[in-house]
Amino acid sequence: MKKLFRAAAVAAVTALALTACGGGGSSDPSNVSPTGEIKAREISWLLSRPADGAVINIMKKLADEYAKDHPGFELKLITTPDRPSYIQKLETLAAANKLPELFDTDATPFAQQLAKQGKMVDAEKLLKSLDVYDDYRPSALDYQRFDDGSLNMIPFQFELEFVWYNKALLQKAGVAVPKSLDDIPAMCTALRDAGITPIAIDGQDQWPLERYVAYQPFREAGPDFIQKLKKGEAKFSDPAGQKTVEWLAALGKAKCFQDGFSSQGYSDAQNQFTSGQAAMYNIGTWELPSLATDKLNPEVREDIDFFTLPTTAGSVTAANEFVSPSGIGMAVNSKTYDPLVSDFLKFALKKYPAEYAATGALSPTTNVETALPANATPLYKKALEKANDLGGKQAMPWDTQLDPTTNGRLQQELVLLVQGNITPEQFTSTMDSTIAQNAPKFFK
Amino acid sequence: MLPNRSRLSVLVFLLPPLLLYCVAVLFPIVQSMFLSFFSWNGISDMEFVGLANYVRMLTADDIFWRSFFNALGYLAICLVLQLGGALLVASLLTSMRRGRELIKTLYLLPAVISTVAIAFLFVRIYSIEPVGLLNQLLHWIGLGALERPWLSDINTVLTAVSAPEGWRFTGLYMLIIYAALLSVPQELEEAARLDGASRWQLFTKIRFPHIMPVWITTTIMATTYGLRGFDIPYLMTNGGPGQSSELLTTYMYKTAFSSTDFGYASTIAVFIVVECLVAVGLILFLLKRKADA
């Protein structure tokens, strides 16, 4: 009967999504060294990364090299760079038990449920068995860990998130780089008075605004706040929660973000900043090729600089602790893990860091040095050097932490709060009741 | 009455499309009804919850009701633009002597443009920073005070996402209504004119009653299309800001594929099916009664 229910349910999902579904089992996720003959075949990687990005190009190249010694091997890349679409695809395939050999995921509550069901290979054991575990930056691995400390995803990047700013525009408005997060609303008012858009933001994708909600609690109560909030053990009505709600409302009141930001996309925001129309832009080192090379608009090139997340009075986290993600991780499907997948990963993960660092990006490992591109500005090196001075705590993006329903509602309510459509009290009440209603289903 | 052999051949030829219809339409509806009695996130065990999803939907979900009323608003705007616009343009076309084909083609053009392209086009038209076409026009004609971010303003966003859908299909319904207007007997109109009927009387007493069966069909088509509207609002605003442009369809989709709550999403899907059936029933009832009066 249970099988009948499952089959019927999968068919219903098919009807809703018009996607193909099926069924299957799983093997031991802790068995990282499968024995037997390596039989070359095509394996797939379901991934959410830029189609022409360094990660994909390098892995393609390494797969081709591996295929020379293993005729018949092929790495098929199934790319969906748009993150919301990707997540829907991943969840539908997971529901149908049709996940491919390798798949990308953040350390979300949904991914944790997959791991608990033994559908993902233990990445810590896997990396140790390949003798590469110690090469990784601890913070790159920590970003991929679930709450219980288990590691089921392998990082391929390491990024630092800064607030980029235009020195000339700040000077024009007579404001200095903020010493505290609490200085930003007044700074926005001064910039607006000078006719300058204070912060360019991609509102369409929702995660950039969600970064801002994480900042005050990280400074006020440390990284544990979100761990407690997502389970309903802390609330937005707590002092740290109220601080972020009031701060966001103040950012909105000071008109910090460009008009109509909620319907503007990634490239709109970037263009506003790089064309000198907006004074600040909060983005990670993955944008170094656009912001710190000669590709940057010459009219603003000399004026661009960055500052790291400001602290606050009484901050429990240090200035060198901020958002430093290692990108979306790659999980290995335990059901399809065999000597071939194991051998390919061994081959690829050992060669990957050097290839990646050669592209000018920060490797998730410490055993290679990033090469500066020939067209880099001095800012490029300055940004990379920040990776050598990181503190022990990192601010986690909340979209990877909250249950999916709460996350969706938070993204919606944040826009309303910042636009002044709802009061801080309404926001607090809605979000606390949303968490109370949805968190128990994911964090039993 | 068809002879027996003809009736048999009609039934034989009807069978394949009927089977296809059952597999493609009825079966998924039954499956969704079945799933609506469960709580299931796609990877955990399914839990039978009886009517709990329906109770939650009807009594405890503020977003559901917001989406429902938004969907009605979206439908109303689409119907006015699509049917009202179509009737107006079709009536004007019947009075034209030259250039009818050009006008028809121009009006029909949006119906063949990809939804994604339309959505992106209108995002640009509504934009304020950089300034889009609509705000630029308002500025040029001296109505600068009305300039706003149309898709970010909770008071204008629903109208703003409905307009492209209405604009898109006006041409299609215009063609149908235009064809119906051409079938109005000229003798009747001539006789009415000789009796001194005004243009308005001619329209309300002769033309419109004559095209009533076609009008009912187009109204049903436009209503069901409007109730299942999804792509343009989803692409333009993803239901936002907040839930200002959230429709039942976008909410159902997000509940299934963002919140991974497949049981509850199926409950909303069942509601959409019932809503469409009720809407079609109401249209038939009201228009038939008007026609009989």
Side-chain angles (χ1 to χ4, degrees):
Chain A
M1 193 63 183
K2 201 170 164 184
K3 273 188 178 174
L4 181 71
F5 276 178
R6 191 171 182 88
V10 166
V13 174
T14 311
L16 284 166
L18 300 178
T19 45
C21 300
S26 68
S27 59
D28 180 10
S30 61
N31 178 16
V32 293
S33 307
T35 50
E37 193 189 344
I38 295 169
K39 289 180 187 165
R41 62 185 166 91
E42 180 189 272
I43 68 169
S44 299
W45 184 5
L46 183 74
L47 73 177
S48 179
R49 299 168 196 267
D52 59 347
V55 178
I56 284 186
N57 288 338
I58 292 167
M59 288 302 278
K60 262 188 204 166
K61 186 184 158 201
L62 293 175
D64 290 343
E65 277 179 31
Y66 185 77
K68 280 180 194 162
D69 294 331
H70 299 82
F73 172 82
E74 194 183 339
L75 178 65
K76 187 180 163 195
L77 301 172
I78 310 163
T79 321
T80 312
D82 170 46
R83 192 65 70 91
S85 306
Y86 175 78
I87 292 167
Q88 287 155 17
K89 194 171 186 174
L90 172 77
E91 289 170 351
T92 309
L93 287 170
N97 222 342
K98 282 280 187 186
L99 286 168
E101 286 84 359
L102 311 169
F103 55 94
D104 281 358
T105 180
D106 286 304
T108 61
F110 184 84
Q112 191 163 14
Q113 289 199 349
L114 281 179
K116 276 183 183 168
Q117 291 174 2
K119 290 179 177 171
M120 292 149 83
V121 168
D122 184 329
E124 187 162 335
K125 278 191 176 176
L126 175 64
L127 294 176
K128 281 180 177 167
S129 76
L130 301 181
D131 203 22
V132 294
Y133 182 83
D134 292 333
D135 295 341
Y136 281 83
R137 296 172 196 268
S139 49
L141 294 178
D142 288 347
Y143 182 79
Q144 307 291 340
R145 289 183 200 277
F146 294 123
D147 296 348
D148 59 5
S150 60
L151 180 71
N152 290 79
M153 277 83 69
I154 300 166
F156 280 79
Q157 298 162 250
F158 191 68
E159 312 287 356
L160 310 169
E161 295 189 11
F162 307 130
V163 180
W164 300 81
Y165 70 99
N166 184 317
K167 288 183 274 187
L169 294 181
L170 260 58
Q171 201 173 15
K172 187 180 166 194
V175 290
V177 170
K179 289 193 170 69
S180 160
L181 278 174
D182 300 317
D183 295 341
I184 295 180
M187 190 181 170
C188 293
T189 305
L191 284 160
R192 280 282 180 192
D193 289 346
I196 300 161
T197 301
I199 303 174
I201 191 168
D202 159 23
Q204 228 170 32
D205 291 311
Q206 300 178 317
W207 64 262
L209 183 60
E210 203 173 354
R211 287 288 197 275
Y212 284 81
V213 77
Y215 294 157
Q216 284 281 5
F218 180 68
R219 292 299 187 214
E220 181 80 5
D224 289 347
F225 181 77
I226 180 60
Q227 304 301 327
K228 289 180 182 166
L229 182 84
K230 69 181 181 184
K231 294 173 190 157
E233 292 163 10
K235 291 184 169 176
F236 273 100
S237 50
D238 294 345
Q242 279 303 285
K243 188 145 190 207
T244 195
V245 174
E246 297 292 347
W247 184 66
L248 285 160
L251 291 182
K253 210 171 172 185
K255 288 177 68 66
C256 283
F257 304 109
Q258 78 267 29
D259 293 338
F261 72 87
S262 72
S263 57
Q264 299 215 335
Y266 197 98
S267 53
D268 295 319
Q270 195 182 59
N271 288 342
Q272 275 204 317
F273 179 69
T274 54
S275 63
Q277 292 172 58
M280 290 179 279
Y281 181 45
N282 186 16
I283 209 76
T285 42
W286 59 87
E287 284 297 345
L288 278 174
S290 310
L291 298 171
T293 65
D294 63 11
K295 281 186 191 166
L296 181 64
N297 178 5
E299 284 174 28
V300 299
R301 204 180 291 161
E302 298 301 316
D303 293 324
I304 301 295
D305 202 346
F306 67 85
F307 59 86
T308 56
L309 184 72
T311 52
T312 53
S315 173
V316 299
T317 50
N320 63 352
E321 293 169 329
F322 43 88
V323 186
S324 51
S326 53
I328 195 165
M330 184 198 75
V332 182
N333 187 346
S334 57
K335 185 182 138 192
T336 53
Y337 187 64
D338 63 7
L340 174 73
V341 179
S342 172
D343 193 55
F344 170 66
L345 287 177
K346 186 177 177 181
F347 175 85
L349 291 179
K350 286 197 170 172
K351 294 196 166 200
Y352 175 84
E355 298 270 358
Y356 189 62
T359 67
L362 276 169
S363 169
T365 62
T366 51
N367 58 347
V368 287
E369 198 166 331
T370 301
L372 278 177
N375 62 348
T377 63
L379 208 55
Y380 205 111
K381 192 175 176 211
K382 184 181 162 189
L384 293 180
E385 281 171 353
K386 286 282 170 193
N388 304 327
D389 178 37
L390 275 179
K393 296 171 189 161
Q394 60 177 320
M396 293 298 283
W398 284 18
D399 55 332
T400 65
Q401 299 297 301
L402 296 163
D403 72 81
T405 309
T406 302
N407 186 49
R409 189 76 194 248
L410 174 64
Q411 289 177 338
Q412 291 179 328
E413 299 299 315
L414 273 177
V415 177
L416 295 179
L417 178 68
V418 172
Q419 288 192 168
N421 300 125
I422 55 172
T423 62
E425 293 75 27
Q426 286 170 316
F427 176 89
T428 304
S429 157
T430 304
M431 287 320 303
D432 280 345
S433 63
T434 304
I435 292 170
Q437 197 178 353
N438 296 290
K441 285 184 227 163
F442 272 88
F443 301 102
K444 281 177 202 168
Chain B
M1 195 67 175
L2 289 167
N4 276 343
R5 191 189 286 176
S6 298
R7 261 192 290 172
L8 183 68
S9 54
V10 167
L11 285 175
V12 166
F13 280 104
L14 271 181
L15 198 62
L18 189 66
L19 282 175
L20 192 66
Y21 177 80
C22 287
V23 171
V25 179
L26 296 183
F27 183 65
I29 291 174
V30 172
Q31 291 286 357
S32 293
M33 285 174 72
F34 169 79
L35 199 53
S36 70
F37 298 114
F38 290 85
S39 172
W40 187 49
N41 71 359
I43 53 171
S44 62
D45 288 336
M46 291 170 70
E47 183 191 347
F48 181 75
V49 293
L51 292 171
N53 283 335
Y54 287 93
V55 173
R56 174 183 159 196
M57 181 177 78
L58 297 172
T59 64
D61 186 351
D62 58 326
I63 301 182
F64 168 77
W65 287 111
R66 182 76 195 269
S67 309
F68 175 67
F69 289 115
N70 282 347
L72 292 184
Y74 177 84
L75 176 66
I77 297 166
C78 285
L79 286 183
V80 168
L81 290 175
Q82 288 173 354
L83 297 181
L87 187 62
L88 182 72
V89 175
S91 301
L92 292 175
L93 269 184
T94 55
S95 313
M96 278 181 73
R97 292 189 182 277
R98 284 184 186 176
R100 278 185 199 168
E101 296 310 314
L102 178 70
I103 300 284
K104 276 196 283 183
T105 309
L106 286 176
Y107 267 93
L108 195 60
L109 209 56
V112 295
I113 300 176
S114 135
T115 311
V116 179
I118 288 175
F120 286 160
L121 173 72
F122 272 83
V123 166
R124 293 288 166 211
I125 287 174
Y126 289 133
S127 172
I128 192 156
E129 218 172 298
V131 65
L133 182 65
L134 182 57
N135 287 314
Q136 191 75 65
L137 278 176
L138 288 170
H139 183 74
W140 282 337
I141 60 175
L143 293 174
L146 293 178
E147 283 181 56
R148 66 191 62 236
W150 298 89
L151 294 174
S152 297
D153 187 328
I154 59 168
N155 300 309
T156 57
V157 66
L158 187 63
T159 310
V161 298
S162 310
E165 181 83 3
W167 168 78
R168 186 184 181 197
F169 287 116
T170 297
L172 187 68
Y173 297 119
M174 177 269 291
L175 269 192
I176 298 171
I177 293 168
Y178 175 69
L181 286 175
L182 287 183
S183 72
V184 178
Q186 290 298 306
E187 312 83 65
L188 267 180
E189 290 196 22
E190 286 297 323
R193 276 199 201 96
L194 286 174
D195 287 344
S198 65
R199 286 176 76 93
W200 177 247
Q201 283 172 324
L202 203 67
F203 178 77
T204 53
K205 305 289 181 191
I206 309 264
R207 285 186 167 188
F208 195 70
H210 189 83
I211 66 164
M212 185 55 88
V214 175
W215 181 256
I216 292 174
T217 310
T218 46
T219 307
I220 290 173
M221 280 172 68
T223 305
T224 49
Y225 273 47
L227 284 174
R228 68 181 201 201
F230 170 80
D231 39 13
I232 289 180
Y234 185 77
L235 288 165
M236 287 177 79
T237 61
N238 196 17
Q243 299 86 32
S244 307
S245 58
E246 195 82 271
L247 305 180
L248 281 178
T249 46
T250 55
Y251 183 44
M252 179 199 75
Y253 185 80
K254 284 194 227 172
T255 305
F257 300 109
S258 296
S259 300
T260 62
D261 195 344
F262 293 110
Y264 190 54
S266 299
T267 314
I268 302 170
V270 170
F271 182 88
I272 294 171
V273 172
V274 173
E275 180 193 49
C276 285
L277 292 175
V278 169
V280 171
L282 268 177
I283 293 165
L284 286 173
F285 175 74
L286 292 173
L287 293 180
K288 288 256 182 193
R289 200 172 68 164
K290 198 177 171 190
D292 295 341

